[in-house]
C-alpha cells in the first residue's frame, strides 16, 4: 500500500477539487442570473482551490467572460490568454480575447484571433459575422486614421494661414477640429500631432473666431483626461490662460471659463481614463497645478486691464472649484489657502465703488458674485480659529481703507461692509461694529453727491437686514430715510431709501397686527414701487430695487392683492427676472413666495394662545385676505401673467445669484402653482416640469423636497410620458423615491407612492430604474402603514412593480411574508385595498407560476379568501379571483386537487352561467 501521508494528500486534493467544482457551478448560476461581479468572485475563489490545469483553463475562460461584462477589457484579455496558453484550440477563449482586443483598439490582433476561430469551426455563423464586421470596421479605421493624420495637419494649415481669405473654409476647418477633439481617438491624435503648440498659436492671433476654435478644441483634449490637462497647462502656462479669460470679447472669455472649468475637474478627479490598460501608469500629483491656476484667477480679479465679465467669470470659477462640494469631504485646505492668498483680492472687487477714480471694471453681477464667493468660503470653515482668522482679515482690510484714505477710502470701506453683509453676514456684522463705520454711514446718507449717497443708503439697507442692528437703525435710520425719501431729487436715491423703510417696516413679517408703519402708508409705498418698476425710462439697476421693496411690502396681503391686479407690474418684474442682471433673482422669488403664501406657516398652539391672552401678550394675527380662496385667485392671476416661463428662465441661470436658498424659494412657488390639478398641464406646457428636475436634485433639503412634491403632483394627474418626454422621465424617478424617506411627511410619502405607481405601470425600463434607486424595500414598508390611504398606495405601487421579474422573485424569498400579506390583504374589508392586492396576486400567478404552489402554504385562510373574492358583489374582485384560481389550477396538480375538493367547483359553475358578467 501507499504511505499514509501520500494517501491523505490525495484525499485533500480530491476534497479541494470537489469544492472548486461547486464554486464553478455557483459562478455559472450567478453569471446566468446576470450578477457578473459575484460570479467573478466565485470563479476567483475556485481558482485558488484548483490544481488541475484543464480546470484552471476553464475558470480563466469564465473569468474573461465576467470581465467582458464588467467592461474591464485588460483583465479579460489577460485571463483569455491564460486559457489559450493551456489549450490553443479553445475557441471560446479565442473569441473572448478577440472581443477584449477589439475594445482595447488592437484590431489587427483581434482579427487574427477571429480568423483562428473560423478555421477551427468553419460552420459557426457567429464567428463569420464577427470577422466580417471587424474587417469592415478596420477598413474604416485605417481609412479614417490616415485621413485623420492628414486632416489634422490640413486643418491647422488652413487656420494658421494668414493669407487664407476664404472665411467659410476657415469656419469649416475650425468646426472639424472641435468635433474631432470630442472623440478620445481624435483628441489623442491632435495631441500627438503637436496640436497644443499649434492651438497656442491660434490663441495668440487674438482673432475671436480662431481663439474660440482653439479654446473649444482644448476642452475636448482636457475633458476627463488628467495627464493631457497637465501637459496643456505646462505648454500654455497659467498666465496665458487667465489672460484669455480677461479679454474684452465676451464669448471668448466665456469659452476660456468653460475650458478652465473642465481643466479644474480633470485635475481634481484625475479620471481613470489615462490609466486603463497601462500597467506602469505614473501617479500624477495635480494639487500644485490646481493652486497655480487658482493663484492666477485671484490675480486676475485685481488686474486693471481685465474685462468686467472676465472678472465675473473668474469669480464663478472660484465659487465652483474652491469650496468642498459636500460636508462628507473632510479636506478644506483649498479654501484656507484661498483665504490666506486671496481674501483681500476678493474684497477688492466687493469694495469697488462704480465710477470712482481708478476703480476696477465690474458688471451689475460682480458684487453679488463676490458676496456668494465670500459666503461659500466662510461656510467651508470648520472651527472657530479658522473663522476668527477670516474675521481678522476682513477687519484689517476695512480698517486699512477707512482710516488712511480720506473720503474715497471711507466709501470703499463702506461698500466692502455692504458686500460682506450680503454674503457671510457674521463677518459683515463684526466689521459694522468697528469704530466710526456706522456713524460714517449715517452722515454719508445725507451727502450731496449722488454716488456717495447711494453707497451709504445701500449699506444702511443691508445693515437693516440683520436683527442685531435693526433696533439701532430703526432709532437712527427711519427718520433719516424718510427725510431722503420725501426730499431727494433723485429717483435712484428715493427708491433705495424706500427699500430701507420697507425692510425696517416689515420686521413684523406676515403678522398683520405688528406693522410699524402708519395705516395706509404701506399701500402708498407699494404703489410707488410698482410705478417705478413699470417706468422703463429708469435704468434696470434702479428698477431692481423696486422689486426689493416689493419683496418686503408683499408681506402685507393688501399689497399682494393690488400687485396681482397690476398686470403691467407683474410682467415688468418677470421681464427683469429674465434680464442679464441676476442679482434680482432673490427679490423676485421672495415676492412670489409672499404672493402665493408658500412660506412656512407656524400654527400657534391653542393653549399658548390662551396663556398669551391671559398675560396680555402679543398674538400673531392672519390677514383676512390671506385665506385660501384669496391665495387661489392670486395664483390664477400669476399663471395668466406668465409666471412659469419667468421661473423656468430663473432656474436656467448659471449665475452664482441662484443660491440654494433662492432655489428653495422657486421650489416653494412651483409647489403652490401645481396645487390645483387643473393648472398642472399649463405649468408643464410652459416649461415647469423641466425646471423642477434640477430643483429637486440640488439645493436645500426643504427646496429639493418641495420640488419633488411638485413633480409628484404632476406625475399623478397627467400622462407622465407627455409631461416628461424622452429621457427626462427617468430623471424624475430619484426625486420621487426621495419622498418615501421616513423623515418626509405622510402626505409626501403618499404622493410619492402614487406617482411611482404611475411610472411603474409604463415600462420595464422605468421599473428597473425604480429598483435601482432602492425603492422597493421602502414601498414594502409602507404596506404595513396604519394610515389606510398610504397602505393602499403602497400596495397599488407594488402591484405595478410586480410586473418585473426581480420583484416576482422577492415573493418567493425564504422567510419573507410578502406573499402572505398580499393574500391576507385580498381578504380585507377595504375594497380598494382588496382590489390592489388581488390584482397583484392575479399578475404574480400569471407571470410567475411557482407562486401558485406557495399560496396554500402561506396562510390557512387562502381558500376562504379566494372564495370570498369570487362571491363578492364587485365584478372587478370576482374577475381578479377567477384569474387567480385559473392560474393556480394550471400550475400544479396538487393545488388543483385542493381547489376542486372545496366548494370552488360549485362557485365557478354558478359564475360561468352568469350572462350579466361576460
Amino acid at each position: 500500500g501507499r504511505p499514509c501521508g501520500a494517501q491523505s494528500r490525495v484525499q485533500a486534493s480530491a476534497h479541494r477539487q470537489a469544492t472548486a467544482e461547486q464554486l464553478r457551478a455557483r459562478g455559472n448560476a450567478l453569471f446566468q442570473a446576470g450578477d457578473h461581479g459575484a460570479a467573478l468572485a466565485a470563479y476567483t475563489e475556485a481558482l485558488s482551490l484548483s490544481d488541475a490545469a484543464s480546470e484552471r483553463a476553464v475558470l480563466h475562460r469564465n473569468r474573461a467572460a465576467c470581465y467582458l461584462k464588467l467592461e474591464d477589457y485588460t483583465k479579460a484579455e489577460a485571463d483569455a490568454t491564460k486559457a489559450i496558453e493551456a489549450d490553443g484550440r479553445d475557441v471560446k477563449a479565442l473569441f473572448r480575447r478577440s472581443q477584449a482586443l477589439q475594445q482595447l483598439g488592437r484590431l489587427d490582433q483581434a482579427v487574427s484571433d477571429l480568423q483562428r476561430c473560423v478555421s477551427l469551426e468553419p460552420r459557426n455563423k457567429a464567428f463569420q459575422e464577427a470577422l466580417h464586421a471587424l474587417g469592415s470596421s478596420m477598413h474604416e479605421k485605417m481609412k479614417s486614421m490616415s485621413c485623420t493624420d492628414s486632416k489634422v495637419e490640413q486643418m491647422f494649415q488652413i487656420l494658421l494661414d494668414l493669407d487664407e481669405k476664404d472665411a467659410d473654409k476657415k469656419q469649416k476647418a475650425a468646426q472639424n477640429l472641435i468635433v474631432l477633439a470630442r472623440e478620445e481617438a481624435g483628441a489623442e491624435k491632435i495631441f500627438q500631432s503637436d496640436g497644443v503648440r499649434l492651438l497656442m498659436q491660434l490663441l495668440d492671433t487674438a482673432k475671436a473666431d480662431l481663439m474660440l476654435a482653439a479654446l473649444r478644441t482644448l476642452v475636448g483634449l482636457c475633458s476627463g483626461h488628467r495627464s493631457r490637462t497637465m501637459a496643456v497647462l505646462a505648454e500654455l502656462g497659467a498666465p496665458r490662460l487667465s489672460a484669455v479669460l480677461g479679454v474684452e470679447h465676451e464669448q471668448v472669455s466665456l469659452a476660456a471659463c468653460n475650458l478652465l472649468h473642465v481643466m479644474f475637474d480633470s485635475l481634481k478627479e484625475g479620471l481613470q481614463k489615462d490609466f486603463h490598460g497601462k500597467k506602469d501608469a505614473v501617479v500624477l500629483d495635480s494639487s500644485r497645478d490646481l493652486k497655480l491656476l487658482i493663484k492666477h484667477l485671484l490675480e486676475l480679479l485685481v488686474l486693471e486691464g481685465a474685462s468686467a465679465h472676465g472678472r465675473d467669470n473668474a469669480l464663478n470659477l472660484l465659487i465652483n472649484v474652491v469650496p468642498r462640494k459636500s460636508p462628507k469631504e473632510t479636506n478644506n485646505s483649498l479654501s484656507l489657502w484661498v483665504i490666506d492668498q486671496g481674501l483681500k483680492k476678493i474684497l477688492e472687487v466687493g469694495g469697488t465703488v462704480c465710477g470712482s477714480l481708478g476703480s476696477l471694471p465690474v458688471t451689475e453681477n460682480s458684487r453679488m458674485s463676490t458676496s456668494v464667493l465670500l459666503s461659500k468660503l466662510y461656510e467651508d470653515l470648520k472651527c472657530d480659529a479658522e473663522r476668527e482668522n477670516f474675521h481678522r482679515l476682513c477687519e484689517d482690510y476695512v480698517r486699512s481703507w477707512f482710516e488712511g484714505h480720506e473720503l474715497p477710502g471711507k466709501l470703499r470701506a463702506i461698500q466692502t461692509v455692504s458686500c460682506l453683509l450680503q454674503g457671510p453676514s457674521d463677518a459683515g456684522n463684526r466689521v459694522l461694529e468697528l469704530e466710526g463705520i456706522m456713524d460714517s454711514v449715517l452722515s454719508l446718507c445725507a451727502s450731496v453727491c449722488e454716488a456717495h449717497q447711494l453707497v451709504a443708503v445701500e449699506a444702511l439697507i443691508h445693515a437693516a437686514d440683520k436683527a442685531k442692528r435693526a433696533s439701532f437703525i430703526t432709532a437712527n435710520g427711519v427718520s433719516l430715510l424718510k427725510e431722503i425719501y420725501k426730499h431727494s431729487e433723485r429717483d435712484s436715491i428715493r427708491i433705495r431709501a424706500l427699500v430701507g423703510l420697507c425692510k425696517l417696516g416689515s420686521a413684523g413679517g406676515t403678522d398683520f397686527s405688528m406693522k410699524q408703519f402708519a395705516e395706509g402708508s404701506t399701500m402708498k409705498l407699494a404703489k410707488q414701487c410698482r410705478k417705478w418698476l413699470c417706468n422703463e425710462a429708469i435704468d434696470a439697476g434702479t428698477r431692481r430695487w423696486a422689486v426689493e421693496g416689493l419683496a418686503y411690502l408683499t408681506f402685507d396681503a393688501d399689497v399682494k392683492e393690488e400687485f396681482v391686479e397690476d398686470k403691467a407690474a407683474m410682467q415688468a418684474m418677470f421681464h427683469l427676472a429674465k434680464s442679464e442682471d441676476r442679482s434680482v433673482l432673490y427679490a423676485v422669488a421672495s415676492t412670489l413666495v409672499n404672493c402665493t403664501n408658500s412660506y412656512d406657516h407656524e400654527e400657534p398652539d391653542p393653549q399658548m394662545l390662551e396663556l398669551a391672552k391671559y398675560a396680555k401678550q402679543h398674538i400673531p394675527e392672519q390677514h383676512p385676505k390671506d385665506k385660501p380662496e384669496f391665495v387661489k385667485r392670486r395664483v390664477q392671476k400669476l399663471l395668466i401673467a406668465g409666471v412659469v416661463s419667468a421661473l423656468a428662465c430663473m432656474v436656467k441661470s448659471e449665475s452664482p445669484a441662484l443660491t440654494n436658498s433662492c432655489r428653495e424659494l422657486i421650489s416653494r412657488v412651483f409647489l403652490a402653482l401645481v396645487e390645483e390639478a387643473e393648472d398642472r398641464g399649463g405649468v408643464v406646457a410652459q416649461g415647469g416640469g423641466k425646471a423642477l428636475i434640477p430643483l429637486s436634485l440640488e439645493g436645500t433639503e426643504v427646496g429639493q423636497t418641495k420640488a419633488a412634491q411638485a413633480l409628484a403632483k404632476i406625475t399623478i394627474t397627467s400622462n407622465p410620458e407627455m409631461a416628461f418626454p424622452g429621457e427626462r422621465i427617468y430623471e424624475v424617478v430619484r426625486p420621487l423615491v426621495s419622498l418615501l424617506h421616513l423623515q418626509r411627511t405622510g402626505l409626501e410619502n403618499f404622493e410619492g407612492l402614487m406617482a411611482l405607481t404611475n411610472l411603474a405601470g409604463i415600462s420595464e425600463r422605468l421599473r428597473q430604474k425604480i429598483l435601482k434607486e432602492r425603492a422597493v424595500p421602502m414601498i414594502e414598508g409602507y404596506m404595513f402603514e396604519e394610515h389606510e390611504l398610504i397602505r393602499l398606495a403602497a400596495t397599488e405601487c407594488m402591484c405595478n412593480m410586480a410586473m418585473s421579474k426581480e420583484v416576482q422573485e422577492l415573493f418567493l424569498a425564504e422567510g419573507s411574508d410578502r406573499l402572505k400579506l398580499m393574500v391576507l390583504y385580498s381578504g380585507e374589508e377595504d375594497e380598494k385595498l382588496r382590489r390592489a392586492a388581488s390584482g397583484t396576486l392575479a399578475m404574480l400567478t400569471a407571470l410567475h407560476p411557482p407562486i401558485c404552489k406557495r399560496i396554500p402554504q402561506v396562510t390557512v385562510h387562502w381558500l376562504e379568501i379566494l372564495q370570498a373574492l369570487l362571491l363578492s358583489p364587485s365584478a372587478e374582485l370576482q374577475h381578479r379571483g377567477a384569474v387567480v384560481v385559473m392560474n393556480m389550477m394550471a400550475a400544479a396538480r396538487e393545488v388543483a386537487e385542493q381547489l376542486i375538493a372545496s366548494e370552488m367547483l360549485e362557485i365557478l359553475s354558478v359564475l360561468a352561467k352568469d350572462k350579466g358578467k361576460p
Side-chain angles (χ1 to χ4, degrees):
R2 277 203 191 105
C4 299
Q7 198 173 345
S8 63
R9 272 203 303 280
V10 170
Q11 284 170 343
S13 169
H15 172 69
R16 284 171 63 184
Q17 205 55 41
T19 343
E21 271 174 34
Q22 287 164 350
L23 281 165
R24 181 175 131 200
R26 192 165 103 213
N28 293 349
L30 288 163
F31 188 87
Q32 292 302 326
D35 192 344
H36 306 119
L40 177 65
Y43 294 141
T44 305
E45 198 181 335
L47 262 174
S48 67
L49 298 172
S50 180
D51 305 323
S54 60
E55 181 64 31
R56 290 180 68 80
V58 173
L59 288 166
H60 279 301
R61 185 176 76 197
N62 291 1
R63 278 207 327 184
C66 293
Y67 282 129
L68 281 173
K69 290 286 188 191
L70 297 167
E71 297 181 10
D72 189 339
Y73 302 115
T74 311
K75 286 187 178 156
E77 184 218 351
D79 262 325
T81 302
K82 282 181 181 154
I84 296 161
E85 281 164 3
D87 174 9
R89 300 174 66 81
D90 184 341
V91 281
K92 280 188 181 173
L94 282 162
F95 185 62
R96 280 169 197 166
R97 186 168 72 176
S98 77
Q99 287 177 295
L101 289 165
Q102 206 171 329
Q103 293 295 340
L104 292 167
R106 286 147 61 189
L107 303 188
D108 44 345
Q109 290 168 279
V111 167
S112 81
D113 275 353
L114 269 176
Q115 283 168 338
R116 177 104 175 106
C117 288
V118 173
S119 69
L120 287 167
E121 288 188 15
R123 290 197 173 157
N124 189 320
K125 277 274 176 50
F127 294 163
Q128 290 168 2
E129 283 168 14
L131 187 59
H132 180 70
L134 187 53
S136 321
S137 83
M138 266 195 79
H139 181 65
E140 284 302 306
K141 184 155 188 189
M142 296 314 283
K143 224 166 72 177
S144 78
M145 281 306 271
S146 55
C147 192
T148 306
D149 282 8
S150 55
K151 243 190 192 164
V152 171
E153 285 164 35
Q154 221 177 348
M155 287 186 256
F156 278 121
Q157 262 171 5
I158 296 169
L159 290 170
L160 290 167
D161 181 0
L162 299 175
D163 303 326
E164 178 62 72
K165 295 286 181 274
D166 185 343
D168 281 352
K169 198 170 170 185
K170 282 202 158 182
Q171 174 96 42
K172 211 162 186 181
Q175 205 44 50
N176 286 340
L177 206 54
I178 296 164
V179 171
L180 191 63
R182 284 184 192 145
E183 294 295 324
E184 173 54 30
E188 191 56 32
K189 192 74 246 166
I190 295 172
F191 185 70
Q192 298 297 347
S193 313
D194 197 18
V196 181
R197 192 182 55 80
L198 295 167
L199 289 167
M200 181 162 77
Q201 287 180 23
L202 286 181
L203 280 179
D204 292 346
T205 59
K207 291 187 176 165
D209 50 345
L210 296 179
M211 291 176 83
L212 283 170
L215 291 165
R216 288 169 184 162
T217 306
L218 284 164
V219 165
L221 262 57
C222 297
S223 195
H225 205 301
R226 186 172 169 191
S227 54
R228 273 205 304 255
T229 301
M230 291 172 82
V232 166
L233 185 55
E235 180 90 37
L236 295 182
R240 182 187 267 103
L241 285 166
S242 78
V244 177
L245 186 67
V247 299
E248 279 302 335
H249 194 286
E250 248 176 275
Q251 268 188 302
V252 172
S253 174
L254 198 59
C257 175
N258 189 23
L259 169 61
L260 283 163
H261 204 175
V262 165
M263 291 177 81
F264 276 120
D265 282 349
S266 299
L267 291 172
K268 271 189 153 180
E269 302 303 323
L271 286 181
Q272 297 310 309
K273 256 191 197 174
D274 327 8
F275 306 142
H276 277 332
K278 290 188 194 164
K279 289 197 179 74
D280 50 356
V282 190
V283 176
L284 308 161
D285 174 32
S286 49
S287 62
R288 211 189 70 226
D289 286 340
L290 263 176
K291 285 185 173 171
L292 182 69
L293 273 178
I294 291 171
K295 181 169 164 280
H296 282 281
L297 288 182
L298 291 167
E299 282 168 13
L300 179 78
L301 292 181
V302 291
L303 194 70
E304 283 181 14
S307 66
H309 40 258
R311 199 164 272 107
D312 280 2
N313 287 331
L315 287 167
N316 292 359
L317 277 166
L318 291 167
I319 290 168
N320 282 316
V321 300
V322 175
R324 290 171 293 169
K325 286 277 179 283
S326 86
K328 285 185 192 135
E329 296 173 39
T330 50
N331 184 357
N332 67 344
S333 60
L334 207 49
S335 287
L336 297 176
W337 185 80
V338 167
I339 289 167
D340 280 341
Q341 297 288 315
L343 185 63
K344 295 197 168 169
K345 295 183 173 102
I346 297 166
L347 291 172
E348 197 86 2
V349 183
T352 295
V353 179
C354 294
S356 65
L357 202 64
S359 67
L360 293 169
V362 288
T363 71
E364 60 275 295
N365 293 312
S366 305
R367 185 152 6 122
M368 185 69 193
S369 298
T370 308
S371 294
V372 171
L373 174 57
L374 290 166
S375 218
K376 294 238 177 197
L377 290 172
Y378 188 74
E379 284 162 15
D380 208 31
L381 301 178
K382 292 197 289 195
C383 63
D384 288 345
E386 291 175 0
R387 285 185 275 274
E388 202 45 55
N389 178 49
F390 188 95
H391 290 311
R392 189 181 50 72
L393 289 168
C394 291
E395 285 172 4
D396 289 352
Y397 179 82
V398 170
R399 211 184 276 113
S400 71
W401 276 106
F402 190 74
E403 284 169 0
H405 296 271
E406 307 292 317
L407 186 59
K410 287 192 167 41
L411 286 168
R412 262 207 96 98
I414 292 171
Q415 189 78 299
T416 310
V417 173
S418 273
C419 183
L420 284 164
L421 284 165
Q422 280 178 283
S425 53
D426 288 355
N429 279 324
R430 281 272 294 263
V431 179
L432 204 51
E433 283 160 15
L434 291 176
E435 197 179 334
I437 297 265
M438 202 63 215
D439 299 333
S440 250
V441 171
L442 293 171
S443 64
L444 277 169
C445 277
S447 166
V448 286
C449 166
E450 178 176 10
H452 300 172
Q453 201 177 8
L454 274 180
V455 171
V457 172
E458 283 188 18
L460 189 60
I461 295 168
H462 294 309
D465 245 357
K466 316 299 162 203
K468 204 156 109 188
R469 316 232 26 110
S471 53
F472 163 67
I473 292 166
T474 312
N476 297 276
V478 171
S479 50
L480 182 62
L481 289 170
K482 277 186 179 163
E483 274 303 296
I484 297 173
Y485 178 62
K486 283 183 185 145
H487 302 300
S488 174
E489 305 283 303
R490 309 178 186 114
D491 276 345
S492 59
I493 299 285
R494 290 187 64 212
I495 203 165
R496 286 165 170 80
L498 177 139
V499 173
L501 288 169
C502 295
K503 272 193 174 182
L504 296 168
S506 67
T510 53
D511 177 4
F512 173 47
S513 54
M514 267 290 277
K515 290 297 161 216
Q516 299 188 8
F517 285 159
E519 199 54 52
S521 65
T522 309
M523 298 301 288
K524 263 193 221 148
L525 292 175
K527 194 173 175 186
Q528 184 59 57
C529 274
R530 296 203 313 273
K531 206 166 111 189
W532 273 323
L533 182 57
C534 296
N535 181 355
E536 295 200 357
I538 301 177
D539 69 288
T542 300
R543 282 163 54 216
R544 182 194 108 210
W545 284 93
V547 185
E548 295 269 354
L550 286 168
Y552 289 93
L553 293 169
T554 46
F555 279 131
D556 185 314
D558 288 310
V559 174
K560 301 179 200 188
E561 285 294 312
E562 278 201 359
F563 179 66
V564 298
E565 290 303 331
D566 186 343
K567 201 164 179 190
M570 283 194 288
Q571 284 174 337
M573 181 172 89
F574 297 156
H575 191 69
L576 272 181
K578 296 175 183 178
S579 71
E580 281 296 296
D581 181 357
R582 311 314 273 165
S583 48
V584 75
L585 294 182
Y586 195 84
V588 172
S590 303
T591 306
L592 291 170
V593 164
N594 290 340
C595 288
T596 54
N597 284 39
S598 48
Y599 37 73
D600 289 328
H601 302 275
E602 294 274 326
E603 292 299 326
D605 176 2
Q607 276 182 314
M608 295 310 283
L609 278 183
E610 287 308 308
L611 283 173
K613 279 182 192 163
Y614 180 72
K616 294 196 169 49
Q617 277 178 343
H618 167 68
I619 300 163
E621 292 171 36
Q622 192 193 29
H623 195 295
K625 287 182 185 168
D626 273 332
K627 293 205 163 68
E629 61 270 23
F630 282 93
V631 177
K632 207 166 148 183
R633 275 205 300 273
R634 290 202 288 267
V635 166
Q636 289 307 315
K637 286 180 177 146
L638 285 166
L639 284 168
I640 293 163
V643 66
V644 177
S645 66
L647 289 171
C649 194
M650 288 159 74
V651 174
K652 267 192 228 141
S653 154
E654 287 287 303
S655 152
L658 188 68
T659 54
N660 284 344
S661 45
C662 187
R663 297 168 82 97
E664 181 186 314
L665 295 178
I666 297 172
S667 298
R668 286 174 180 275
V669 178
F670 265 127
L671 185 55
L673 297 177
V674 296
E675 189 53 48
E676 300 299 321
E678 60 270 18
D679 296 331
R680 293 171 196 167
V683 170
V684 169
Q686 290 170 44
K690 185 180 177 183
L692 278 163
I693 294 172
L695 290 172
S696 68
L697 296 171
E698 194 187 331
T700 64
E701 196 169 340
V702 173
Q704 286 179 286
T705 306
K706 302 266 181 205
Q709 202 185 349
L711 284 170
K713 285 182 190 289
I714 291 169
T715 311
I716 291 166
T717 53
S718 51
N719 174 355
E721 290 175 285
M722 302 278 282
F724 308 106
E727 290 297 301
R728 203 172 297 155
I729 194 166
Y730 301 99
E731 294 174 41
V732 179
V733 174
R734 180 171 298 167
L736 295 180
V737 173
S738 76
L739 293 173
L740 305 187
H741 293 297
L742 288 173
Q743 66 268 40
R744 303 281 172 262
T745 65
L747 176 64
E748 287 161 358
N749 299 156
F750 174 67
E751 289 184 329
L753 287 164
M754 297 256 290
L756 286 169
T757 304
N758 260 1
L759 292 185
I762 292 174
S763 72
E764 179 57 27
R765 191 176 157 202
L766 271 166
R767 289 190 286 278
Q768 287 301 325
K769 177 78 175 147
I770 294 169
L771 273 163
K772 201 172 162 192
E773 293 293 341
R774 303 202 178 97
V776 171
M778 292 190 272
I779 298 168
E780 283 183 339
Y782 287 113
M783 286 176 66
F784 293 94
E785 180 69 45
E786 281 172 32
H787 196 294
E788 66 269 14
L789 281 175
I790 294 180
R791 191 170 59 212
L792 169 66
T795 310
E796 286 178 339
C797 192
M798 206 59 187
C799 179
N800 281 352
M801 285 302 292
M803 288 189 261
S804 266
K805 192 104 180 96
E806 288 96 320
V807 179
Q808 294 156 20
E809 295 290 349
L810 293 174
F811 281 89
L812 286 174
E814 284 302 319
S816 135
D817 284 338
R818 296 180 181 98
L819 189 58
K820 180 179 182 175
L821 189 67
M822 277 300 173
V823 177
L824 293 174
Y825 275 1
S826 301
E828 280 281 319
E829 283 172 23
D830 175 355
E831 186 174 324
K832 283 184 176 165
L833 183 61
R834 277 180 88 185
R835 225 172 21 210
S838 55
T840 311
L841 283 182
M843 195 136 61
L844 286 171
T845 52
L847 296 171
H848 205 53
I851 284 176
C852 298
K853 284 198 220 172
R854 186 68 73 84
I855 288 176
Q857 298 161 19
V858 292
T859 165
V860 289
H861 306 295
W862 70 281
L863 256 176
E864 56 195 88
I865 288 171
L866 289 179
Q867 289 172 359
L869 283 173
L870 288 167
L871 295 168
S872 158
S874 149
E876 276 196 68
L877 288 176
Q878 285 181 299
H879 181 218
R880 284 164 164 74
V883 170
V884 175
V885 174
M886 179 177 78
N887 293 334
M888 289 176 73
M889 290 289 293
R893 184 185 177 98
E894 66 269 27
V895 180
E897 281 172 352
Q898 282 175 282
L899 286 165
I900 295 302
S902 69
E903 296 88 86
M904 198 57 88
L905 191 58
E906 293 162 54
I907 298 171
L908 291 169
S909 307
V910 173
L911 289 179
K913 295 181 186 123
D914 190 342
K915 295 274 191 294
K917 296 178 181 169

